[in-house]
Amino acid sequence: MPSRPLSAAVPDPAVTPVPSPCISVCRMDASTGWCEGCSRTIEEIAQWSGMSDEARRRVWAQIALRRAWDQ
């Protein structure tokens, strides 16, 4: 999987709606199950539009952990 910048930080709690982490690089990595562009799972991508802001922030926190692990 290509290295991504660690700039993915959990959005400010005051910012709503929580922005999507999608960067339009939509390829799933078979070894991790994460999108190569945004580091979300297919389940997170599919559920994003119905998630609460709190749930979206939890996904952002997971993305930061995944990207740190992937470095």
Side-chain angles (χ1 to χ4, degrees):
M1 177 181 297
S3 293
R4 286 174 300 279
L6 291 175
S7 61
V10 179
D12 183 323
V15 175
T16 55
V18 175
S20 171
C22 181
I23 60 168
S24 298
V25 177
C26 306
R27 288 185 303 268
M28 300 307 290
D29 183 290
S31 65
T32 63
W34 307 334
C35 174
E36 292 181 10
C38 67
S39 300
R40 290 181 291 175
T41 66
I42 195 72
E43 292 83 12
E44 291 165 343
I45 293 166
Q47 296 170 3
W48 185 263
S49 64
M51 286 182 178
S52 66
D53 284 339
E54 181 180 330
R56 289 177 177 185
R57 285 188 185 87
R58 285 194 300 269
V59 171
W60 269 104
Q62 287 299 309
I63 290 169
L65 292 172
R66 291 170 188 157
R67 289 182 178 174
W69 176 84
D70 190 41
Q71 293 299 307

